[in-house]
Every structure is written in structure tokens, then in C-alpha cells.
């Protein structure tokens, strides 16, 4: 995984702020969150924990806060096929094959904070501005700060295939 997401998308659906971060792990996504969020629901699934062929949330320690879960992820190498965590009065984080983070947040200020934390510092304002200006569009940023806009995920995939 990279230090910053490869792809960004911001949208608003059903009163929630949706933030997609491509090529970003469960651990990286959790590290963006405040450490004191209360976990109200968790669903985990992996094939590489304690030599179990399939481990779920019942096989892991009980996590009460985002900080406890972040600490566990930082100190244990686990690759999740299923990772869904809901936080009280905040929103949720789910990941797909431990390679893309999908946040659904209740407050715009929280999603703005996550964007600022996940973007390269020198381009943070530019990326935030573009995400707010172009909802439901996928954005990438190159090392020079140039932003590319994609109207669909398929377009992003087609234009970024390794040849």
C-alpha cells in the first residue's frame, strides 16, 4: 500500500458523506480516525489469522474503540477480505479485499478532516477543493500535484491499466 491513496472520491448519499480511498488498507483507514470512537458493530473476515482457515470477529479480541482496533492492526499483520466497522455518532468504515477504504460519515467536518489527513500535505487544499467541486468523480493526483478526473471507476481502470 502507498502512503497516500491512489484514488479519491467524495459524494453525499442518503444524508451521509461517502469517501472512497483507493489502494488504502484497513490499517491505513483506521489510522485516519479519531482514537476515541466507540465501536457499535464490527464484521471481520480473513484467512490469515492464527492458522485458522476462516476467522471472523468472534476469533479476534473484543475491540471497544477505534484506538484499540488501530493498535491491533498496527501490531498484527492481517489481510482482511471482510472489514466493516460502525462507530457511534460518527459513521462507518469498510474495506474491500484490504485495498480500498469506503467511509460513510455523518458530518461534513469529519470527512474534510479525513481528506486532509489522507492527502499529500502540499496538495491537500487542492484535492479537497476538487473533491467538493466534483462530487461522485474519481480523482488521482500525480507527484507534481496534477489532478486527473475520471467520471466512472471503469474509466479509471481502463486508463490506468499497466501495459
Amino acid at each position: 500500500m502507498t502512503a497516500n491513496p491512489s484514488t479519491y472520491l467524495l459524494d453525499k448519499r442518503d444524508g451521509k458523506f461517502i469517501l472512497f480511498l483507493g489502494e488504502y488498507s484497513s490499517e491505513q483507514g483506521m489510522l485516519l480516525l479519531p482514537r476515541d470512537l466507540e465501536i457499535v458493530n464490527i464484521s471481520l473476515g480473513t484467512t490469515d489469522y492464527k492458522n485458522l482457515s476462516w476467522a471472523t470477529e468472534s476469533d479476534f479480541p473484543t475491540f471497544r474503540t477505534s484506538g484499540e482496533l488501530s493498535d491491533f492492526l498496527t501490531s498484527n499483520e492481517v489481510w482482511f477480505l471482510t472489514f466493516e466497522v460502525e462507530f457511534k455518532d460518527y459513521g462507518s468504515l469498510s474495506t474491500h479485499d484490504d485495498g480500498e477504504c469506503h467511509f460513510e460519515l455523518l458530518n461534513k467536518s469529519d470527512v474534510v478532516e479525513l481528506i486532509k489527513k489522507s492527502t499529500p500535505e502540499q496538495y491537500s487544499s487542492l484535492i479537497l477543493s476538487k473533491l467538493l467541486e466534483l462530487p461522485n468523480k474519481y480523482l488521482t493526483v500525480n507527484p507534481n500535484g496534477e489532478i486527473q478526473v475520471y467520471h466512472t471507476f471503469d474509466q479509471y481502470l481502463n486508463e490506468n491499466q499497466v501495459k
Side-chain angles (χ1 to χ4, degrees), residues 46-138:
T46 184
T47 57
D48 72 346
Y49 182 65
K50 290 190 172 180
N51 297 319
L52 298 171
S53 60
W54 181 248
T56 65
E57 58 279 352
S58 62
D59 299 304
F60 290 90
T62 300
F63 305 109
R64 293 170 291 153
T65 66
S66 52
E68 290 176 3
L69 181 52
S70 289
D71 291 344
F72 176 84
L73 295 175
T74 301
S75 60
N76 294 275
E77 286 190 37
V78 181
W79 188 80
F80 289 98
L81 296 169
T82 303
F83 185 94
E84 299 173 5
V85 185
E86 182 181 351
F87 305 98
K88 183 177 180 180
D89 300 326
Y90 187 84
S92 64
L93 166 61
S94 61
T95 63
H96 174 72
D97 291 344
D98 212 7
E100 52 192 49
C101 288
H102 181 260
F103 295 91
E104 291 189 17
L105 304 180
L106 303 178
N107 297 307
K108 186 176 184 177
S109 60
D110 292 329
V111 80
V112 167
E113 187 64 27
L114 293 187
I115 293 167
K116 287 179 180 178
K117 286 181 176 180
S118 67
T119 55
E121 188 175 344
Q122 68 271 34
Y123 305 126
S124 182
S125 295
L126 176 64
I127 295 169
L128 177 59
S129 163
K130 280 292 186 190
L131 286 169
L132 293 170
E133 175 187 334
L134 301 168
N136 204 29
K137 303 290 186 252
Y138 293 89

Side-chain angles (χ1 to χ4, degrees), residues 150-163:
Y150 303 93
H151 296 280
T152 66
F153 193 66
D154 285 340
Q155 179 190 11
Y156 164 76
L157 289 176
N158 289 335
E159 293 182 23
N160 288 282
Q161 287 181 344
V162 177
K163 307 228 181 207

Side-chain angles (χ1 to χ4, degrees), residues 13-33:
R13 293 183 211 133
D14 302 322
K16 293 182 181 175
F17 295 91
I18 309 301
L19 177 63
F20 170 86
L21 303 176
E23 295 184 48
Y24 219 56
S25 71
S26 305
E27 176 186 349
Q28 289 170 304
M30 285 298 302
L31 289 171
L32 297 176
L33 298 171

